[in-house]
Amino acid sequence: MDRWFLTTCLCAIAAGNLAQAAQRNVDRKASYTGYENGISLPFELQSGFLVVIPGRIGSESGLHFILDTGATRSVIDRRVAATFASQPKADHVISFNRKLETQRTTVEDLESGPIRAANPEVEVMRLSEYSDLAKGADGILGMDLLSVSGKFLIDYPRKTIWFSFANVEAKPVARVRCFSVTIDVQGVPMRLVVDTGFEGIAIHEDRLRRLLPNMRTEGQPVDFRIGPLTGTCVHLLGVKLGGTPETRNVFLMNGPREIGRASC
């Protein structure tokens, strides 16, 4: 197998970078190829990168869901589950390098824009434990439900999501666990997960150093804390992400001990 596949790194790409690329390369008045008959949904951009869309569970409308391509399974907050969920059972998920205790349950019909799921299984947890930025949200729309769409496009400048799919009421299946791209770091190819729920680039430090024992950085590393996540921020040289190699700020953190239930 290829070396990059054997040494996959988990990484998140800042939505701001994607928005800048869209502003440079996309005509605001143009139609997107493949989405001429698509369905659009406006969204609210929070904290400069979080995509928040309206949703409904059962008869309760006016809910707010975070669209998160880095989440394999969809999540609802405990206060919402107390009203709409069936009897939950214990479960857990891996978020970056953390194991989070959750519950899994079935809710009534869940709807967000053109995506509708009848009695889907979702994870239940206090979203404030998942991320400080998720405190005001009612749920997280993950890839289990987003994969119902054949494809979708996030237009950050226009704050609009475009969905294109043959059957908007298809049964949700986890046929797509994540989106990934391959980049080059100092001559070494690495696979990165595209995560709309994280601002910045994060790589598991142990895997990066195993690939690049003589990793080149600029300046002094700085310790960081983003909610419960901790690690080191470095200026990493020679990062090629769809263009010429650049020096980029990269968050380094330990990889998960239990990778069998990782998000991708």
Side-chain angles (χ1 to χ4, degrees):
M1 294 185 181
D2 293 337
R3 187 182 184 199
W4 67 265
F5 184 80
L6 292 172
T7 53
T8 298
C9 294
L10 176 66
C11 184
I13 301 177
N17 292 341
L18 300 177
Q20 291 172 9
Q23 288 173 323
R24 289 194 301 267
N25 301 324
V26 176
D27 182 349
R28 287 174 175 269
K29 297 182 180 180
S31 297
Y32 295 111
T33 302
Y35 293 87
E36 294 85 353
N37 298 317
I39 301 173
S40 64
L41 177 68
F43 68 82
E44 180 183 352
L45 192 66
Q46 293 186 359
S47 301
F49 71 99
L50 278 181
V51 175
V52 180
I53 53 181
R56 173 185 66 82
I57 296 178
S59 60
E60 184 70 19
S61 59
L63 301 179
H64 298 87
F65 296 132
I66 295 173
L67 187 151
D68 189 352
T69 60
T72 303
R73 298 193 293 271
S74 297
V75 184
I76 61 172
D77 192 79
R78 284 185 182 175
R79 57 182 168 77
V80 177
T83 303
F84 299 103
S86 61
Q87 186 66 33
K89 54 186 177 182
D91 200 4
H92 72 272
V93 297
I94 301 296
S95 177
F96 289 99
N97 57 357
R98 300 176 296 152
K99 178 181 177 181
L100 301 176
E101 300 298 330
T102 67
Q103 295 176 315
R104 181 177 288 201
T105 190
T106 301
V107 298
E108 298 180 54
D109 294 352
L110 187 152
E111 178 178 337
S112 183
I115 294 177
R116 293 187 289 274
N119 303 316
E121 275 198 336
V122 295
E123 299 295 323
V124 178
M125 65 183 304
R126 287 192 178 91
L127 290 180
S128 58
E129 298 175 0
Y130 185 85
S131 169
D132 289 341
L133 298 174
K135 289 180 179 178
D138 300 298
I140 295 173
L141 202 64
M143 290 301 297
D144 54 344
L145 297 181
L146 291 172
S147 63
V148 170
S149 172
K151 57 183 177 179
F152 64 91
L153 183 149
I154 303 177
D155 185 336
Y156 285 93
R158 284 187 268 194
K159 295 185 176 61
T160 303
I161 306 172
W162 290 87
F163 293 92
S164 177
F165 35 163
N167 183 2
V168 297
E169 295 187 352
K171 182 179 179 180
V173 293
R175 55 179 178 264
V176 178
R177 293 176 63 83
C178 63
F179 296 126
S180 66
V181 296
T182 300
I183 70 166
D184 183 282
V185 179
Q186 298 175 17
V188 176
M190 297 182 180
R191 190 172 68 168
L192 283 63
V193 172
V194 181
D195 185 350
T196 57
F198 184 83
E199 184 180 25
I201 298 177
I203 300 179
H204 292 146
E205 183 173 5
D206 53 342
R207 303 182 192 183
L208 181 61
R209 292 191 180 279
R210 188 164 63 244
L211 279 173
L212 291 171
N214 299 314
M215 178 179 67
R216 303 191 310 275
T217 61
E218 183 178 81
Q220 295 296 315
V222 178
D223 292 339
F224 77 87
R225 176 180 290 276
I226 304 175
L229 296 177
T230 60
T232 304
C233 183
V234 300
H235 301 297
L236 187 61
L237 301 175
V239 179
K240 186 178 180 181
L241 180 62
T244 58
E246 300 178 4
T247 298
R248 289 182 174 267
N249 291 334
V250 175
F251 299 104
L252 302 181
M253 61 185 70
N254 293 328
R257 294 180 180 177
E258 185 180 345
I259 62 174
R261 297 292 298 276
S263 62
C264 183

